[in-house]
Amino acid sequence: MPCETVRDCWVSPSPRRHPIARPKQLRRRDFQPCADGEAAPRCSDGHCVVGPAFSC
């Protein structure tokens, strides 16, 4: 998934944890660990990736 900033990315938990384009309704806010998921999205070299995981 191409990206310019981390706000372009999100992490889908199923069927396995993988990066996706951030849903439209979530584009104006930052990822909140544990409330939004166990792994943060990242934009790395212009592509969405799964970032650090948190122990929730």
Side-chain angles (χ1 to χ4, degrees):
M1 196 69 35
C3 62
E4 292 182 22
T5 71
V6 70
R7 286 195 170 191
D8 296 332
C9 305
W10 201 250
V11 176
S12 176
S14 63
R16 57 170 175 66
R17 200 181 295 164
H18 64 283
I20 62 170
R22 187 174 291 229
K24 196 173 197 174
Q25 69 271 21
L26 300 174
R27 289 187 186 156
R28 296 181 187 223
R29 68 176 188 82
D30 292 326
F31 177 85
Q32 297 173 3
C34 299
D36 290 330
E38 294 180 5
R42 284 186 57 209
C43 181
S44 178
D45 296 325
H47 291 26
C48 293
V49 297
V50 176
F54 302 94
S55 57
C56 300

